[in-house]
Amino acid sequence: MLYFDCDYMEGCCSEILKRLAEINMEKNRGYGTDRYCKSAEEKILKACGLSEGEVYFMTGGTQTNSTVISALLKNYEGVVAADSGHINTHEAGAIENSGHKVMTIKNKDGKIAGEDLENYLKNFFSDENNEHMVYPGMVYISFPTEYGTLYSAGELSEIHNICIEYGIPLYVDGARLGYGIMAEENDVTLEYLAHNCDIFYIGGTKVGAMFGEAVVIPNKGSIPHFFTMIKQKGALLAKGWLLGVQFDTLFTDDLYFKIAENAILRANEIKRIFAEKGYRFYINSPTNQIFIIMEDEKIRELKNNVSFGFWEKYDERSTVVRFATSWATAKEDVEKLEKFL
Amino acid sequence: MLYFDCDYMEGCCSEILKRLAEINMEKNRGYGTDRYCKSAEEKILKACGLSEGEVYFMTGGTQTNSTVISALLKNYEGVVAADSGHINTHEAGAIENSGHKVMTIKNKDGKIAGEDLENYLKNFFSDENNEHMVYPGMVYISFPTEYGTLYSAGELSEIHNICIEYGIPLYVDGARLGYGIMAEENDVTLEYLAHNCDIFYIGGTKVGAMFGEAVVIPNKGSIPHFFTMIKQKGALLAKGWLLGVQFDTLFTDDLYFKIAENAILRANEIKRIFAEKGYRFYINSPTNQIFIIMEDEKIRELKNNVSFGFWEKYDERSTVVRFATSWATAKEDVEKLEKFL
Amino acid sequence: MLYFDCDYMEGCCSEILKRLAEINMEKNRGYGTDRYCKSAEEKILKACGLSEGEVYFMTGGTQTNSTVISALLKNYEGVVAADSGHINTHEAGAIENSGHKVMTIKNKDGKIAGEDLENYLKNFFSDENNEHMVYPGMVYISFPTEYGTLYSAGELSEIHNICIEYGIPLYVDGARLGYGIMAEENDVTLEYLAHNCDIFYIGGTKVGAMFGEAVVIPNKGSIPHFFTMIKQKGALLAKGWLLGVQFDTLFTDDLYFKIAENAILRANEIKRIFAEKGYRFYINSPTNQIFIIMEDEKIRELKNNVSFGFWEKYDERSTVVRFATSWATAKEDVEKLEKFL
Amino acid sequence: MLYFDCDYMEGCCSEILKRLAEINMEKNRGYGTDRYCKSAEEKILKACGLSEGEVYFMTGGTQTNSTVISALLKNYEGVVAADSGHINTHEAGAIENSGHKVMTIKNKDGKIAGEDLENYLKNFFSDENNEHMVYPGMVYISFPTEYGTLYSAGELSEIHNICIEYGIPLYVDGARLGYGIMAEENDVTLEYLAHNCDIFYIGGTKVGAMFGEAVVIPNKGSIPHFFTMIKQKGALLAKGWLLGVQFDTLFTDDLYFKIAENAILRANEIKRIFAEKGYRFYINSPTNQIFIIMEDEKIRELKNNVSFGFWEKYDERSTVVRFATSWATAKEDVEKLEKFL
């Protein structure tokens, strides 16, 4: 059986496994106060082109989103997101559970259009009755998006400038950040991202780490007592160095980007194969997720040999399905896939 | 100046003012344990055709919605509402603040269509990934809606049956219930309502009371410890008899319905006037709220003499405005209005 | 039957009832934007000796405490209170329900001793592990306390100075403020209070109003968007002028203090009677609540004619009971009480 | 430098490290739906003597406590705990953040005495005013406690029977469960525990795992939709098999207990040494935490060579310090420690 279900089906890249084994019996202080977290923070900030800043490590995406968003928002504020945003769909109401509304804008290919955001905020702030409404307190976008699409540098900058204009922070969910940065058509560097938002996270779980996400706060000190809020959310790993050493490894010799590139190469091969075989694409995604409109009969046949994701019904006879690659996808699996199509 | 801004610009109907004065120096026990609350409960249950049940009194709509909804929902559940529902728009995020998502369905004339609800629930419960999503734990509708429209008895029953099918309760926000029941085209009686939902409230603040809403739970005991949850929400009035005596008065000799009728009569007169003068209606509302598409120039002129609500921009030169009547609207004010149009 | 159960058994003082009737059919704008709220705010600020500041009106104590406290605290903070504080005992967990811990200090006669507060804060801030703990984010005291006792001006100032030293606000729950200020031994004026805390409320429900509490923020603008947080908590009365006109009346010609004095005079008479009859006092309370250690046999006998509060078991044969007076307590009721003792 | 700071300074036991490496490139399904979680669940249930039940895996203690407690409690309920309980002291208010009060009973050597619990619940349920108070909705105890002490089988059963009497569940925090079960004087087996509480967790983070806690629900189906609540709390690890394989390993051939024994053996040696050297013990702890009253001068000297925990000031010249052993503590480190004392 071939597996293209998602990008988190394996453990971690070999370099990380090695480091974890090497330091296994070392004695380290807890809660991220160890030297590996320190080193990882320094390397990440350097990779971001930040002379100062803060980096915190957590173990998963929903946890990170929930902790960051509730740390940024005041009681009367909500978070603006695309209706397709992960926080709005597949986090079991984590944001609302922390007391805040997810305020949605209709997505365009998984993204928020700058114009739509501008209109949304303009309408809110010009509404005489807005004191009876939830205030937009921050903007959430994902890069890449849930549909595998990317904001261009220009689009990102536009969103950020609108946020600056309205005095609210921009948060970027980078669960698959590596796959975005390494996409061929992408023009957003890690450094550019770090200078065009107020807080973001670098996803490890889906990009080579065993587990872990690194939250980057470019403006040092901008979230007082973030450590305690992480603890309160149950998001503070006792053995924080497990996260530190993973990101220290990923940000040594550009490993994070090198392994991310594999997912892009494999995805591009798969896209070429689908195109050659005449399949229709549901959306033009330049990263590691490929959305295909497939006839239901073909799906039934294919799933005898290949495991992949069902997205949504397309029409009476067809369904949108998702194929995902990752840092771990083998070239030979792609070749085998071609034979089943 | 004439005022048609909203339906809560005056104190209370004269019968209530009289009763409040009469019992002012009586000594009553607090927190709704007094005889007036008891009597009001009995009268309301009788008016609802319920042999048993429970009635609780609170002081306002947002408070009531927030208390009822958080009492009904489990942690992993949200409330399904029309996108135009008051809880989704003008309650400053009260529902989310209590930890729950408002899950929206696009409104049709302010209402949820039964078919849309059925599809929404069917899609959710057939989704393989729904364990990662917020569960629809109840349905919220308003009667009349925020656009002044009404569910017919058939539509209400359809919604309720869908709720029963999916095992989730139906809650009806009756902030303007009296105006709905007394509307000419309405076929939903109080008794019908009480037998076609799981919990609802009878609005007093907008229908003759000084303040107060009466929550009716037809199925006695279905919300254990509701009293304590009211207290926890800060919604338990110390001098509960102030609410009890008001509803006792409103439900003596059908006063609630008699005074509600005035709003309908006045609204119908205003609608006739607008129609005769050639104004366009934004929506066909049979209750006490009238939505007119008015040219901006006319608005500027009219507001020298008349105060009314601005709803939303309609086009370059026109705006949707709202005129509201109430139990207190004087016939002569309607006659004066005609002259300014 | 005589009633000394509590201080909120009647409606309101005659002056307020008259005003409510007079303006009943006036048309006023909602949500506290009316002229009565404006006038009440001005009179209250003047009575507080404040040249500027803000005043907001809510309908009850738990609601006010919950709204104020959650508006002041950040996510990682809790509120420090005496273990006997109302927010810790009889508000059904309203504070925790809004996400914050009530951090308790053992009370001394219902009060927090300055020394204990100083030690508590010193210990917290010198604890190396405090990043894993709830931060003390504000201090809550009640004046008078739940035991009817009072902070002297010196004690209040001491508490406030400690708060200033640690950079956290002091909030004073004044549910029975009038009875504190009018107590014979009291040396805290309203003006003194307003200058020795960061926020407090003037209780109306228990002191002559039909309902209502007035929150005073001496430092204007110190709680941005407080209005929206009031709305979110369901604490914004639609007909806000009902609260405004009551406080406008209470703060015209010192009415608030004049009617409060009655409770003190009656309480002092009752205390004299109990003392003369040889009863023991559980606590020396200078305000309108009297705590007596009474033999259970006497309680059984007395309650045939007098209604009063049971506080707690004292020993095998005795119980602590509470007698409360109010603005409405009649001198003749006190005389009748004497005969039953 | 010698380290006795805490019991989570190393990675994991060698057997786990080996398994993680072996399965690293296997493809597994996410969110705990893999075969390792299934196998671990079966082995744990068997070790608990449960023919059915449920096991869920999370990554840390605070996260587990917060998720379990908010899943069990209704809105109007709080959790009863010893004042020294971890949830009351060092979880940054995680429980309150989820809306619930921690209701404390004064600890006796870190434990809740059955008599105190009985009195607490009896007082609450006999209080006429309890509808205005937080309901005790469950009991939380830790085994071992935060002071390293243990409930005897008789004490545990007594607590559980009181819970049954009052109809509320008992939850046992087993962050250091292995060290409790392997203590010499302990008479509580895993099977006994599983039959004398309603839910508990088996700590992995402190007992040989790299990270992870296993929540055991003896009564299958007693917490509907627990999976979604885990997700909502950000506590659902995407690569759930990382937890599964660790617990599968720990519960193969009694590994969990074998490695836990090391901590007990080393702690007993340390206790013998301290006793021989004439040190006073702050508390008599039979598990892996040793609390010593040490003169401040000695502390200053010792910490040049040994790292350990500062607990609290004892008197002017002495401090309570903590030495912790673990599955990883080397016998030679104990021998070295002796020389420095």
Side-chain angles (χ1 to χ4, degrees):
Chain A
M1 182 68 89
L2 297 174
Y3 295 92
F4 293 95
D5 301 70
C6 67
D7 37 18
Y8 45 94
M9 298 196 78
E10 293 87 3
C12 58
C13 63
S14 57
E15 292 84 348
I16 283 179
L17 192 65
K18 189 162 162 282
R19 288 289 295 282
L20 283 170
E22 281 170 4
I23 72 161
N24 187 54
M25 292 305 290
E26 263 184 26
K27 288 175 187 290
N28 278 292
R29 296 198 182 282
Y31 307 115
T33 61
D34 63 282
R35 58 181 163 146
Y36 298 108
C37 285
K38 186 75 196 139
S39 170
E41 183 180 51
E42 285 168 6
K43 289 178 183 170
I44 287 173
L45 291 179
K46 195 176 167 202
C48 291
L50 294 166
S51 57
E52 59 172 20
E54 293 173 69
V55 179
Y56 293 89
F57 303 100
M58 293 186 237
T59 55
T62 296
Q63 182 182 89
T64 302
N65 287 336
S66 171
T67 304
V68 166
I69 290 170
S70 69
L72 283 175
L73 294 180
K74 299 192 183 69
N75 290 357
Y76 55 90
E77 295 176 332
V79 52
V80 180
D83 56 355
S84 53
H86 203 254
I87 56 168
N88 190 47
T89 55
H90 289 96
E91 299 193 355
I95 305 306
E96 292 85 358
N97 184 252
S98 74
H100 301 285
K101 193 178 190 71
V102 180
M103 310 162 80
T104 56
I105 290 178
K106 189 149 179 45
N107 80 87
K108 289 181 175 154
D109 289 348
K111 298 189 280 182
I112 296 177
E115 190 186 354
D116 293 344
L117 178 62
E118 175 86 52
N119 284 338
Y120 185 93
L121 296 174
K122 195 195 294 177
N123 284 343
F124 177 84
F125 286 106
S126 63
D127 189 324
E128 290 179 352
N129 282 320
N130 67 16
E131 285 198 318
H132 293 255
M133 295 158 73
V134 179
Y135 276 64
M138 65 184 287
V139 172
Y140 162 98
I141 61 172
S142 36
F143 182 90
T145 70
E146 294 72 13
Y147 284 106
T149 52
L150 293 172
Y151 291 84
S152 69
E155 288 170 338
L156 179 63
S157 167
E158 183 191 4
I159 298 274
H160 191 219
N161 284 334
I162 295 167
C163 288
I164 290 170
E165 183 190 343
Y166 286 94
I168 61 179
L170 173 63
Y171 167 51
V172 179
D173 178 336
R176 297 183 171 98
L177 185 58
Y179 303 141
I181 288 181
M182 297 309 290
E184 281 181 13
E185 68 173 53
N186 173 58
D187 63 350
V188 174
T189 62
L190 183 59
E191 189 167 341
Y192 188 87
L193 176 63
H195 289 81
N196 281 279
C197 72
D198 298 281
I199 179 165
F200 68 101
Y201 82 85
I202 302 170
T205 297
K206 292 172 176 165
V207 192
M210 191 178 264
F211 56 90
E213 328 296 331
V215 176
V216 181
I217 306 175
N219 184 4
K220 192 174 179 173
S222 60
I223 309 181
H225 297 289
F226 191 47
F227 180 94
T228 300
M229 291 186 279
I230 294 171
K231 175 73 184 176
Q232 189 181 61
K233 284 282 180 186
L236 186 66
L237 195 68
K239 300 178 187 173
W241 69 85
L242 296 172
L243 293 161
V245 77
Q246 292 188 75
F247 277 94
D248 187 62
T249 305
L250 288 171
F251 280 84
T252 298
D253 297 335
D254 290 334
L255 181 61
Y256 185 70
F257 302 107
K258 287 175 190 165
I259 61 171
E261 192 178 25
N262 180 72
I264 298 303
L265 295 175
R266 299 295 86 78
N268 288 349
E269 289 162 6
I270 292 174
K271 273 182 278 189
R272 184 186 46 75
I273 293 168
F274 274 120
E276 286 173 7
K277 302 260 183 184
Y279 285 86
R280 275 188 299 162
F281 293 86
Y282 176 64
I283 200 166
N284 179 25
S285 158
T287 60
N288 72 315
Q289 301 182 78
I290 305 153
F291 297 89
I292 301 291
I293 301 165
M294 196 176 281
E295 291 190 5
D296 293 343
E297 207 178 305
K298 179 65 190 173
I299 290 174
R300 271 189 295 277
E301 178 204 319
L302 189 60
K303 69 183 177 184
N304 292 321
N305 298 296
V306 186
S307 187
F308 51 95
F310 294 74
W311 214 247
E312 60 186 65
K313 280 301 292 175
Y314 183 74
D315 59 24
E316 292 278 299
R317 297 185 309 175
S318 307
T319 298
V320 179
V321 295
R322 185 187 74 167
F323 290 75
T325 62
S326 80
W327 60 275
T329 304
K331 198 169 168 57
E332 63 197 81
D333 278 3
V334 175
E335 288 160 3
K336 285 181 195 159
L337 172 64
E338 186 165 12
K339 295 183 185 142
F340 293 123
L341 291 176
Chain B
M1 181 70 86
L2 297 175
Y3 295 92
F4 294 95
D5 301 70
C6 67
D7 37 19
Y8 43 94
M9 297 196 79
E10 293 87 4
C12 59
C13 65
S14 58
E15 293 84 348
I16 283 179
L17 192 65
K18 189 161 163 283
R19 289 289 295 282
L20 283 170
E22 282 170 4
I23 72 162
N24 186 54
M25 292 306 289
E26 264 185 24
K27 287 174 187 289
N28 278 293
R29 297 197 182 283
Y31 307 114
T33 61
D34 63 281
R35 58 183 165 145
Y36 298 108
C37 285
K38 186 77 196 138
S39 170
E41 182 180 53
E42 285 168 6
K43 289 178 183 171
I44 286 172
L45 290 178
K46 196 176 167 204
C48 292
L50 295 166
S51 57
E52 59 173 19
E54 293 175 68
V55 179
Y56 292 89
F57 303 101
M58 293 186 237
T59 54
T62 296
Q63 182 182 89
T64 302
N65 287 335
S66 170
T67 303
V68 166
I69 290 171
S70 68
L72 283 175
L73 293 181
K74 299 192 182 69
N75 290 357
Y76 55 90
E77 296 176 331
V79 52
V80 180
D83 56 355
S84 53
H86 203 254
I87 56 169
N88 190 47
T89 56
H90 288 97
E91 300 193 355
I95 305 307
E96 292 87 357
N97 184 251
S98 74
H100 300 286
K101 193 179 191 71
V102 180
M103 309 161 80
T104 55
I105 290 178
K106 187 147 182 47
N107 80 86
K108 289 181 176 155
D109 289 348
K111 298 190 280 183
I112 296 177
E115 189 186 354
D116 293 343
L117 178 62
E118 176 87 52
N119 284 337
Y120 185 93
L121 295 174
K122 195 195 294 176
N123 283 343
F124 177 84
F125 286 106
S126 64
D127 188 325
E128 290 179 351
N129 282 319
N130 67 17
E131 285 199 318
H132 293 256
M133 295 159 72
V134 179
Y135 275 64
M138 65 184 288
V139 173
Y140 163 97
I141 61 172
S142 36
F143 183 91
T145 70
E146 294 72 14
Y147 285 105
T149 52
L150 294 173
Y151 291 83
S152 69
E155 288 170 338
L156 179 63
S157 168
E158 183 191 4
I159 298 274
H160 191 219
N161 284 335
I162 295 167
C163 288
I164 291 169
E165 183 190 344
Y166 286 94
I168 60 179
L170 174 63
Y171 167 51
V172 180
D173 178 337
R176 297 183 170 99
L177 185 57
Y179 303 140
I181 288 181
M182 297 309 290
E184 281 181 12
E185 67 173 55
N186 172 57
D187 63 350
V188 174
T189 62
L190 183 59
E191 190 167 341
Y192 188 88
L193 175 63
H195 289 80
N196 281 279
C197 72
D198 298 280
I199 179 165
F200 68 101
Y201 82 83
I202 302 170
T205 296
K206 292 171 175 165
V207 192
M210 190 178 266
F211 56 90
E213 328 296 331
V215 176
V216 181
I217 306 175
N219 183 4
K220 192 173 180 175
S222 60
I223 309 182
H225 297 291
F226 192 47
F227 180 94
T228 299
M229 290 186 280
I230 294 171
K231 175 74 184 176
Q232 189 182 60
K233 284 281 181 187
L236 186 66
L237 195 67
K239 300 178 185 172
W241 70 85
L242 296 173
L243 293 161
V245 77
Q246 292 188 73
F247 277 93
D248 187 62
T249 306
L250 288 172
F251 281 85
T252 299
D253 298 335
D254 291 333
L255 180 62
Y256 185 71
F257 302 108
K258 288 176 190 163
I259 61 171
E261 192 178 25
N262 180 72
I264 300 302
L265 296 175
R266 299 295 85 78
N268 288 348
E269 288 162 7
I270 291 174
K271 274 182 277 189
R272 184 186 44 76
I273 293 167
F274 275 119
E276 286 173 7
K277 302 258 182 185
Y279 284 87
R280 276 187 298 161
F281 292 85
Y282 176 65
I283 201 167
N284 179 25
S285 159
T287 59
N288 72 316
Q289 301 182 79
I290 304 152
F291 297 88
I292 301 291
I293 301 166
M294 195 176 280
E295 291 188 6
D296 294 342
E297 206 180 305
K298 179 66 190 173
I299 290 174
R300 271 189 295 277
E301 177 205 321
L302 189 60
K303 69 183 178 184
N304 292 319
N305 298 297
V306 186
S307 187
F308 51 96
F310 293 74
W311 214 246
E312 60 187 66
K313 280 300 294 175
Y314 183 73
D315 60 22
E316 294 278 300
R317 297 186 309 175
S318 307
T319 299
V320 179
V321 295
R322 186 188 74 167
F323 290 75
T325 63
S326 81
W327 60 274
T329 304
K331 199 169 168 56
E332 63 198 81
D333 279 2
V334 176
E335 288 160 2
K336 285 181 195 158
L337 172 64
E338 185 165 13
K339 294 180 186 146
F340 293 122
L341 292 176
Chain C
M1 182 70 87
L2 297 174
Y3 296 93
F4 294 94
D5 301 70
C6 67
D7 36 19
Y8 45 94
M9 298 196 79
E10 294 88 2
C12 60
C13 64
S14 57
E15 293 84 348
I16 284 178
L17 192 63
K18 190 160 161 284
R19 289 291 294 283
L20 284 170
E22 282 169 3
I23 71 160
N24 187 54
M25 292 306 288
E26 263 183 24
K27 288 175 188 290
N28 278 291
R29 298 198 181 282
Y31 308 115
T33 59
D34 63 281
R35 58 181 165 148
Y36 297 108
C37 285
K38 186 76 196 139
S39 170
E41 182 180 53
E42 285 167 6
K43 288 178 183 171
I44 286 173
L45 290 179
K46 195 177 168 201
C48 291
L50 294 166
S51 57
E52 59 173 20
E54 293 173 66
V55 179
Y56 293 89
F57 303 101
M58 293 186 237
T59 55
T62 295
Q63 181 182 90
T64 302
N65 287 335
S66 171
T67 304
V68 166
I69 290 170
S70 68
L72 283 176
L73 293 180
K74 299 191 183 68
N75 289 357
Y76 54 90
E77 296 177 331
V79 52
V80 180
D83 57 354
S84 53
H86 202 254
I87 56 168
N88 190 47
T89 56
H90 288 96
E91 300 193 355
I95 305 305
E96 292 86 358
N97 183 253
S98 73
H100 300 286
K101 192 179 190 71
V102 180
M103 309 162 79
T104 55
I105 290 178
K106 189 152 179 43
N107 81 86
K108 289 182 176 155
D109 290 349
K111 298 189 280 183
I112 295 178
E115 190 186 354
D116 293 343
L117 178 61
E118 175 87 51
N119 284 336
Y120 185 93
L121 295 175
K122 195 195 295 177
N123 283 342
F124 177 84
F125 285 105
S126 63
D127 189 324
E128 290 178 352
N129 283 319
N130 66 17
E131 285 198 317
H132 293 255
M133 296 160 72
V134 179
Y135 276 65
M138 63 183 290
V139 173
Y140 163 97
I141 61 173
S142 36
F143 182 91
T145 70
E146 293 72 14
Y147 285 106
T149 52
L150 293 172
Y151 291 84
S152 69
E155 288 170 338
L156 178 63
S157 167
E158 183 191 5
I159 298 274
H160 191 218
N161 284 334
I162 295 167
C163 288
I164 291 170
E165 183 189 344
Y166 286 93
I168 60 179
L170 174 62
Y171 168 50
V172 181
D173 177 338
R176 297 183 170 98
L177 184 59
Y179 303 141
I181 287 180
M182 297 309 290
E184 281 181 12
E185 67 173 54
N186 173 57
D187 62 351
V188 173
T189 61
L190 183 59
E191 189 167 341
Y192 187 87
L193 176 63
H195 289 80
N196 282 277
C197 72
D198 298 281
I199 179 165
F200 68 101
Y201 82 83
I202 302 170
T205 297
K206 292 171 176 168
V207 193
M210 190 177 267
F211 57 90
E213 329 295 331
V215 175
V216 181
I217 306 176
N219 183 4
K220 192 173 179 174
S222 60
I223 310 181
H225 297 290
F226 192 46
F227 180 93
T228 300
M229 291 187 279
I230 293 172
K231 175 72 183 176
Q232 189 181 61
K233 284 282 181 187
L236 186 66
L237 196 68
K239 300 179 186 173
W241 69 84
L242 294 173
L243 293 161
V245 77
Q246 291 188 74
F247 277 94
D248 187 61
T249 306
L250 287 172
F251 281 85
T252 298
D253 298 335
D254 290 333
L255 181 62
Y256 185 71
F257 302 107
K258 288 177 190 162
I259 62 173
E261 191 179 26
N262 180 71
I264 299 302
L265 296 175
R266 299 295 87 78
N268 287 349
E269 288 163 6
I270 291 174
K271 275 183 274 189
R272 185 187 44 76
I273 293 167
F274 274 120
E276 284 173 7
K277 302 261 183 184
Y279 284 86
R280 276 187 299 162
F281 293 86
Y282 176 64
I283 201 166
N284 179 24
S285 159
T287 59
N288 72 316
Q289 301 182 78
I290 304 152
F291 297 89
I292 301 292
I293 302 165
M294 196 176 279
E295 291 189 6
D296 294 342
E297 208 179 304
K298 179 64 190 173
I299 291 173
R300 274 188 294 277
E301 178 205 319
L302 190 60
K303 68 182 178 185
N304 292 321
N305 298 297
V306 185
S307 187
F308 50 97
F310 293 74
W311 214 247
E312 59 185 67
K313 280 300 295 176
Y314 183 74
D315 59 24
E316 294 278 300
R317 297 185 310 174
S318 307
T319 299
V320 179
V321 294
R322 185 188 75 165
F323 290 74
T325 62
S326 80
W327 60 275
T329 305
K331 198 170 168 59
E332 63 198 82
D333 278 1
V334 175
E335 288 160 2
K336 285 181 195 158
L337 172 64
E338 184 165 14
K339 295 186 183 137
F340 293 121
L341 292 177
Chain D
M1 182 69 87
L2 297 174
Y3 296 92
F4 294 94
D5 301 71
C6 66
D7 37 18
Y8 44 95
M9 298 196 79
E10 293 87 4
C12 59
C13 63
S14 57
E15 292 85 349
I16 284 179
L17 192 64
K18 191 161 160 281
R19 290 290 295 283
L20 284 170
E22 281 170 5
I23 72 162
N24 187 54
M25 292 305 289
E26 263 184 24
K27 288 174 187 291
N28 279 291
R29 296 198 184 282
Y31 308 116
T33 60
D34 62 282
R35 57 183 166 145
Y36 298 108
C37 285
K38 186 75 196 139
S39 170
E41 182 180 53
E42 285 167 7
K43 289 178 183 172
I44 287 173
L45 291 178
K46 195 176 168 201
C48 291
L50 294 166
S51 57
E52 59 171 21
E54 292 174 69
V55 179
Y56 293 89
F57 303 101
M58 294 186 236
T59 55
T62 295
Q63 182 182 89
T64 303
N65 287 335
S66 170
T67 304
V68 166
I69 290 170
S70 68
L72 283 175
L73 293 180
K74 299 190 183 71
N75 290 356
Y76 55 90
E77 295 177 332
V79 52
V80 180
D83 56 355
S84 53
H86 202 254
I87 56 169
N88 190 47
T89 57
H90 288 96
E91 299 193 354
I95 305 306
E96 293 85 357
N97 184 252
S98 73
H100 300 285
K101 192 178 189 73
V102 180
M103 310 162 79
T104 56
I105 290 179
K106 189 151 179 44
N107 80 88
K108 289 180 176 156
D109 289 350
K111 297 189 281 183
I112 296 177
E115 190 186 355
D116 293 342
L117 177 61
E118 176 86 52
N119 284 337
Y120 185 93
L121 295 174
K122 195 194 294 175
N123 283 342
F124 177 85
F125 286 105
S126 64
D127 189 325
E128 291 178 352
N129 282 319
N130 66 17
E131 285 198 317
H132 293 254
M133 295 159 72
V134 179
Y135 276 65
M138 64 183 287
V139 173
Y140 163 98
I141 61 172
S142 37
F143 182 91
T145 70
E146 293 72 13
Y147 285 107
T149 52
L150 293 172
Y151 291 84
S152 70
E155 288 170 338
L156 179 63
S157 168
E158 183 190 5
I159 298 276
H160 191 219
N161 284 334
I162 295 166
C163 287
I164 291 170
E165 184 189 343
Y166 286 94
I168 60 179
L170 174 62
Y171 168 51
V172 181
D173 178 338
R176 296 183 171 99
L177 184 58
Y179 303 141
I181 287 180
M182 297 310 290
E184 282 182 11
E185 68 173 54
N186 172 57
D187 64 350
V188 173
T189 62
L190 183 59
E191 189 167 340
Y192 188 88
L193 176 63
H195 289 81
N196 281 278
C197 72
D198 299 281
I199 180 165
F200 68 101
Y201 82 84
I202 302 171
T205 297
K206 292 171 176 166
V207 192
M210 192 177 265
F211 57 90
E213 330 295 331
V215 175
V216 181
I217 306 175
N219 183 4
K220 192 173 178 173
S222 60
I223 309 182
H225 297 290
F226 192 46
F227 179 94
T228 300
M229 291 186 280
I230 293 172
K231 175 73 184 177
Q232 189 181 61
K233 283 282 181 187
L236 186 65
L237 196 66
K239 301 178 186 173
W241 69 85
L242 295 173
L243 294 161
V245 78
Q246 291 188 75
F247 277 94
D248 187 62
T249 306
L250 288 171
F251 281 84
T252 299
D253 298 335
D254 289 336
L255 181 62
Y256 185 71
F257 302 107
K258 287 176 190 164
I259 61 171
E261 191 178 26
N262 180 72
I264 299 302
L265 296 176
R266 298 296 86 80
N268 288 349
E269 289 163 7
I270 292 174
K271 274 183 275 189
R272 183 185 47 73
I273 293 168
F274 274 119
E276 286 173 7
K277 302 261 183 184
Y279 285 87
R280 277 185 298 162
F281 293 85
Y282 177 65
I283 201 167
N284 180 25
S285 158
T287 59
N288 72 316
Q289 300 182 79
I290 305 152
F291 296 88
I292 301 291
I293 301 165
M294 196 177 280
E295 292 190 5
D296 294 341
E297 207 178 306
K298 180 64 190 173
I299 291 172
R300 272 189 294 277
E301 178 205 320
L302 190 60
K303 69 182 177 187
N304 291 320
N305 298 295
V306 185
S307 187
F308 50 96
F310 293 75
W311 215 247
E312 58 184 68
K313 280 302 293 176
Y314 184 73
D315 60 23
E316 294 277 300
R317 296 185 310 174
S318 307
T319 299
V320 179
V321 294
R322 186 188 76 166
F323 290 75
T325 63
S326 80
W327 61 275
T329 305
K331 197 169 168 59
E332 61 197 84
D333 279 1
V334 176
E335 287 160 4
K336 285 182 195 158
L337 172 64
E338 184 164 15
K339 295 185 184 140
F340 293 121
L341 292 176

